[in-house]
Amino acid sequence: MKHKSPQKNFSLQHTLQTSNFIIVCILIIPAVYSIILFRIYTRQYDSIITNVSRANEVNQIVKTKITHELWDIVSGWKKFNDGNQYEVLAEIKNGVNEMLKGSTDKTNVQQLELASRTVETLYKNVNELGVQMAQGSSVSHNERALDEIRSITALLSEILQDFVVSEIEGAAVTNEHIKHMALIFTVLQLVILVLVIALALTRLRQLMESVRQPVADMERLSSRIAEGDLTARVEPPHIRELQHLAENLNTMAARIHGLIEQNIAEQKNLQKAELKALQAQITPHFLYNTFDTIIWLAEAEQIDDVIKVTTAFSEFLRISLSRGHEWITVQQEISHVRHYLTIQKIRYESILNYTITVDERLDNFQMLKLSLQPLVENAIYHGIKNKRGRGHLQVHAQLVPATNAGETPHMRFAIEDNGIGFTKEKLEQVYATLHQEADAEHLTDVYGLYNVNKRLILYYNAESDGLHIQSEAGKGTTVWFTVPCRIADGESNV
């Protein structure tokens, strides 16, 4: 048989928080990653647009503004020192430097560095033109210097144009990257959505199963308690939120069971006390009759019978008291009945005969004290005494072996008389009285039977079903009961 591995306790709240955290992380991480990539590509795209716009502006200055300004100086419209050529050159240089700062592509950086060196060359040629004009050079010589500057600006314009083309190509690549990223992110989002739904459904099913079983167990427990099974308990669930509820249900069942057991014990003790009081009512009239018998025997000077009755009565009382013990051996119980019948035989000699048959194997087994004498007394006073002629009473004790292995053998005790017996209606009335709750003062002539029946059921619990009576009017009555064989109080012999 395979043993289930012990499950660990867990908290629904913690499990839900963990699941929610995992789902949030699954959703947030791709979103954060896409935002970061989007910002990187956006920044690159913005840098490209800015560089292209600035390159076009600088290129326009290079193509027109610087050459026009120098032409006005060479043609004599302006003096060299009054011209704005250096402001224009500074504007071109600053534009190239700004583009250089915003470029990261190696090829574009190389082009801008080349443009920067070309600007420096342009500065140099403009300075030479200024020195040349200050020295009074001819117009033709100045025009050749201007043509050289125009060649340099044309080269610079071409470099800037190549830079613009390169940036536009970079923008196209960046745009492709953005579209590719958008496609990947869309697919990723779909995959994540499927994973999140699958994870959520799986965790939901697991949690529902984890909750369903403990709740079903506690529901079954409450049903069993409602049906009266107070020994039912529920295993502590592995969900911490339900453990306190399960403990309370178990505690409630245990307390109810304990209270009921306590009440049953109290009721049994009360009934035992009532039965002992009822038992005490049996003794007085027998004492009076026995003492009367001893007196008239003494008056008749039947000394042997006085000794016999006194000895039997002494032994009868000794066994009756038994130091307060409720359980005695079968041998002692039979001796108790024998002493009782000895006394009654002397008193009712003309109407009473008796025989006692006992299986010797029963001698040392334990039985409830005073289980037979009240039945014998009832047979004498309500059976034999009221019939005409001599009556006969038989006491039987026999062993009933167990029919199956592991079962406990039983003892069967029977009191049989040939007295007046019971009518069918009277027998039904006696049975009804034996199995109902009654006060001692209302028991009339069956209080001996009631006492024994009640004590058998109380002391043997479910191991004895009490007295059985078989009777026929005018022919006699047999009363019997069966109890388990015990070697000590409450202890089975097997």
Side-chain angles (χ1 to χ4, degrees), residues 133-153:
M133 292 183 70
Q135 293 176 354
S137 60
S138 63
V139 174
S140 60
H141 190 71
N142 291 337
E143 286 180 352
R144 285 195 297 270
L146 180 59
D147 289 338
E148 183 68 24
I149 291 174
R150 283 175 177 169
S151 299
I152 295 172
T153 56

Side-chain angles (χ1 to χ4, degrees), residues 297-310:
L297 286 174
E299 290 176 347
E301 296 183 353
Q302 299 180 23
I303 304 303
D304 292 339
D305 289 337
V306 169
I307 295 173
K308 189 175 181 180
V309 171
T310 305

Side-chain angles (χ1 to χ4, degrees), residues 94-108:
N94 291 334
V96 172
N97 290 335
E98 289 295 325
M99 288 185 288
L100 190 59
K101 291 179 182 179
S103 296
T104 56
D105 185 76
K106 184 177 180 181
T107 302
N108 292 343

Side-chain angles (χ1 to χ4, degrees), residues 7 11 111 119 197 315 386 412:
Q7 298 182 11
S11 168
Q111 288 177 336
V119 171
I197 293 175
E315 289 297 317
N386 293 325
R412 185 180 186 274

Side-chain angles (χ1 to χ4, degrees), residues 172-461:
V173 173
T174 301
N175 186 51
E176 289 298 323
H177 287 168
I178 291 174
K179 290 193 293 184
H180 186 63
M181 182 194 73
L183 178 61
I184 293 177
F185 182 69
T186 302
V187 175
L188 183 61
Q189 286 293 90
L190 291 175
V191 172
I192 289 174
L193 180 62
V194 173
L195 288 177
V196 167
I197 293 175
L199 176 62
L201 291 177
T202 301
R203 296 302 293 168
L204 178 62
R205 184 168 59 253
Q206 291 175 347
L207 289 176
M208 289 180 62
E209 181 61 26
S210 299
V211 173
R212 186 194 63 79
Q213 188 60 44
V215 171
D217 290 341
M218 287 186 281
E219 183 180 359
R220 283 194 293 270
L221 173 65
S222 62
S223 298
R224 292 177 65 183
I225 292 175
E227 293 170 358
D229 184 7
L230 298 177
T231 60
R233 297 292 183 271
V234 65
E235 290 293 329
H238 301 289
I239 302 175
R240 282 195 285 269
E241 285 81 358
L242 297 178
Q243 287 177 350
H244 190 58
L245 177 59
E247 290 174 0
N248 287 343
L249 285 174
N250 286 337
T251 302
M252 179 186 70
R255 287 184 177 178
I256 293 175
H257 185 259
L259 290 173
I260 291 177
E261 289 293 324
Q262 180 181 354
N263 184 61
I264 291 174
E266 290 176 353
Q267 290 298 321
K268 283 187 176 181
N269 290 333
L270 178 61
Q271 289 181 350
K272 288 178 181 179
E274 292 175 349
L275 286 173
K276 286 184 177 180
L278 183 60
Q279 179 182 329
Q281 295 180 11
I282 301 173
T283 307
H285 74 85
F286 174 67
L287 292 178
Y288 304 148
N289 293 336
T290 302
F291 286 139
D292 287 342
T293 300
I294 293 174
I295 290 172
W296 63 256
L297 286 174
E299 290 176 347
E301 296 183 353
Q302 299 180 23
I303 304 303
D304 292 339
D305 289 337
V306 169
I307 295 173
K308 189 175 181 180
V309 171
T310 305
T311 302
F313 184 58
S314 174
E315 289 297 317
F316 175 85
L317 290 179
R318 182 181 65 80
I319 297 175
S320 295
L321 296 175
S322 302
R323 299 179 181 177
H325 295 162
E326 293 291 339
W327 302 87
I328 60 177
T329 64
V330 172
Q331 186 179 32
Q332 290 174 316
E333 181 70 11
I334 295 298
S335 296
H336 186 254
V337 171
R338 198 184 304 276
H339 294 311
Y340 175 78
L341 287 173
T342 298
I343 296 171
Q344 297 292 51
K345 172 65 178 175
I346 292 175
R347 187 178 181 201
Y348 299 109
E349 181 176 3
S350 60
I351 64 171
L352 176 63
N353 281 330
Y354 68 88
T355 57
I356 299 177
T357 306
V358 181
D359 189 331
E360 294 181 354
R361 291 177 294 176
L362 302 179
D363 285 350
N364 294 322
F365 287 125
Q366 297 281 322
M367 67 178 297
L368 185 62
K369 181 178 67 176
L370 297 182
S371 298
L372 297 179
Q373 182 270 332
L375 305 181
V376 171
E377 181 177 1
N378 189 80
I380 294 174
Y381 281 94
H382 300 289
I384 294 175
K385 187 177 179 182
N386 293 325
K387 71 165 290 185
R388 292 183 179 182
R390 183 177 295 275
H392 187 76
L393 187 145
Q394 300 179 64
V395 179
H396 301 283
Q398 63 185 99
L399 178 67
V400 181
T403 56
N404 298 317
E407 290 185 355
T408 303
H410 284 66
M411 300 180 290
R412 185 180 186 274
F413 297 93
I415 310 299
E416 182 178 353
D417 68 74
N418 62 348
I420 62 173
F422 294 118
T423 63
K424 182 178 180 181
E425 293 76 13
K426 179 63 175 178
L427 183 60
E428 292 176 354
Q429 181 182 355
V430 169
Y431 261 118
T433 304
L434 292 182
H435 294 89
Q436 69 181 11
E437 298 295 331
D439 294 331
E441 59 184 14
H442 298 143
L443 293 176
T444 62
D445 56 347
V446 296
Y447 63 82
L449 297 176
Y450 178 86
N451 175 282
V452 174
N453 184 71
K454 209 55 169 158
R455 291 173 69 231
L456 288 173
I457 294 174
L458 280 176
Y459 283 87
Y460 283 98
N461 293 316

